[in-house]
Amino acid sequence: MIGKICGTGSCVPKGLWDNQKLMELVDTSDEWVRERTGVARRHIAENGETTASLAAEAALTALQNGGIRAEQVDLIITATVSPGDLMPNVSCQVQKKIGALNATCFDLNAACTGFLFALNTAQAYLARGIYQTALVIGAEILSDLTNWKDRSTCILFGDGAGAVVLRAGETGKYAQVTYSTGEKGNVLTCACRNQKRYAAGADAPETYMQMDGREVFRFAVSRVPEAIEELLKKEEMHIEQIAYFILHQANERIVRSVVKRLGANPDKFPMNMEEYGNTSSASIPILLNELNRKGMLRRGEYIVLSGFGAGLSYGASLMEW
Ligand code: COA
């Protein structure tokens, strides 16, 4: 059995912070941020919005889009690095909010590659016939983990959630490659915001996201195209056969560099980081939902999803729409 996406959804907070707003917080400029990252605005959670509330809203719109009732869902996996609460997990909170009484629910953390790892996990359950209908969600409130005094990181990130509904069927295609490179873990970190750390000072820099931006950049522009090429070779497919490459929306320059290294058609690499910034595990499903809602995805066509992030980790998935 293979899981096919039958519905997509997303939800972003109402609060909108443009680059001008960041200029009130750090020494930066709209021009610098747009040119170096491609980001113009990011949505920021306010007024009680939580990772679980965004995730549940994205899940509901995905179910609606797929014509699936909440009781039909057997499995909910949420990829997140910013669950808000450690217990109960975000997926159980989503279950409660949407009434998915029959679902088994757990979260998974593979940072910005998290949605791909969650998709792979759901596909494995479906392939074994254990479950038939799965909700795969990426949801983040990164603004909680962002050091708003650090101009080298705060310009990049935003909050949001995206979700897909997978239904098991006899036909379709799903293939993936994933890698983890633990020895590079120190390049992108965020120490747990627990009591011990608070004792050291709630504002200790290590309790916020810290990053060697150049190193992450170098990693992404070499590993992402490698993963895509490996996947296509493994599946004996050519780049021309892919309708869209839906890449993690970290930085416009990274996406453009991947296009160049692959020698691909840039029109096949949609981008939306201008509007949302990097929403970590939510970025791929938010973009996927936008393409779906615009009617750009056609049944029978192939898409590739690819991401990278803390760990460090990276991967790519090929699927028939
Ligand atoms: N505004 C203005 N200037 C800034 C700035 C900001 N927000 N942040 C850094 N600068 C300055 C630096 O201080 C430096 O100045 P200097 O030359 O006088 O020392 C200069 O701009 C260049 O800094 P550098 O860090 O080399 O910039 P960069 O071109 O590498 O861009 C990132 C920085 C973070 C945008 C880029 O490295 C990046 O996107 N990396 C990948 C990060 C990522 O995707 N992380 C998430 C992974 S999931």
Side-chain angles (χ1 to χ4, degrees):
M1 302 295 273
I2 297 170
K4 260 197 175 175
I5 294 177
C6 67
T8 64
S10 69
C11 174
V12 291
K14 289 177 195 66
L16 198 58
W17 288 16
D18 59 15
N19 292 338
Q20 262 80 24
K21 162 82 183 172
L22 296 197
M23 287 162 62
E24 296 167 17
L25 305 175
V26 290
D27 179 15
T28 191
S29 67
D30 179 46
E31 193 190 359
W32 193 96
V33 180
R34 280 176 190 262
E35 194 190 302
R36 305 309 292 165
T37 72
V39 180
R41 291 168 289 280
R42 68 285 293 148
H43 293 252
I44 300 292
E46 292 165 348
N47 302 326
E49 286 165 314
T50 65
T51 306
S53 71
L54 299 180
E57 197 52 42
L60 276 177
T61 55
L63 289 175
Q64 226 167 29
N65 181 239
I68 304 288
R69 284 176 289 109
E71 313 87 72
Q72 291 175 271
V73 176
D74 306 307
L75 174 68
I76 303 176
I77 309 177
T78 305
T80 184
V81 288
S82 52
D85 307 314
L86 289 180
M87 296 182 285
N89 63 35
V90 172
S91 298
C92 281
Q93 294 182 54
V94 170
Q95 174 188 38
K96 184 177 170 189
K97 284 176 194 286
I98 70 173
L101 312 171
N102 302 310
T104 294
C105 308
F106 63 92
D107 293 357
L108 168 161
N109 173 353
C112 301
T113 329
F115 182 77
L116 294 187
F117 282 64
L119 193 60
N120 292 340
T121 308
Q123 288 285 9
Y125 276 112
L126 266 46
R128 295 286 295 169
I130 298 170
Y131 300 119
Q132 279 72 50
T133 307
L135 252 175
V136 182
I137 305 169
E140 305 287 2
I141 296 202
L142 296 179
S143 55
D144 280 352
L145 310 179
T146 300
N147 183 348
W148 295 106
K149 294 175 188 157
D150 175 6
R151 70 174 184 173
S152 68
T153 54
C154 75
I155 45 143
L156 291 170
F157 300 104
D159 302 336
V164 303
V165 188
L166 285 179
R167 287 280 275 175
E170 305 272 339
T171 59
K173 186 177 187 70
Y174 187 78
Q176 60 87 36
V177 295
T178 43
Y179 290 99
S180 300
T181 317
E183 72 268 22
K184 284 188 183 286
N186 61 336
V187 168
L188 182 47
T189 60
C190 182
C192 186
R193 310 206 81 209
N194 61 22
Q195 286 175 353
K196 250 191 215 160
R197 300 284 178 177
Y198 278 118
D203 259 347
E206 66 268 26
T207 66
Y208 295 106
M209 285 185 283
Q210 291 187 303
M211 180 182 73
D212 179 341
R214 285 184 201 177
E215 185 60 31
V216 176
F217 195 100
R218 270 197 293 274
F219 180 84
V221 298
S222 62
R223 299 304 177 88
V224 168
E226 271 171 32
I228 293 173
E229 276 171 345
E230 182 191 339
L231 179 63
L232 292 180
K233 192 169 172 207
K234 185 163 80 97
E235 295 306 308
E236 297 179 350
M237 288 189 68
H238 193 259
I239 210 156
E240 305 299 333
Q241 291 172 270
I242 308 302
Y244 289 105
F245 295 83
I246 299 164
L247 266 51
H248 172 45
Q249 299 292 292
N251 183 318
E252 185 181 334
R253 286 189 297 137
I254 292 178
V255 177
R256 297 215 182 282
S257 171
V258 172
V259 172
K260 208 167 154 197
R261 286 191 190 212
L262 289 171
N265 175 357
D267 296 344
K268 291 186 172 186
F269 290 72
M271 287 186 257
N272 66 3
M273 74 281 285
E274 183 180 12
E275 181 65 24
Y276 305 108
N278 175 350
T279 55
S280 191
S281 58
S283 92
I284 290 176
I286 290 175
L287 182 56
L288 194 57
N289 181 49
E290 284 189 357
L291 299 192
N292 184 27
R293 300 296 169 133
K294 286 180 188 163
M296 291 165 70
L297 303 172
R298 292 193 193 84
R299 288 288 162 207
E301 286 188 347
Y302 295 102
I303 57 172
V304 166
L305 318 178
S306 183
F308 62 93
L312 297 176
S313 63
Y314 63 103
S317 294
L318 167 72
M319 69 192 306
E320 185 185 324
W321 185 253

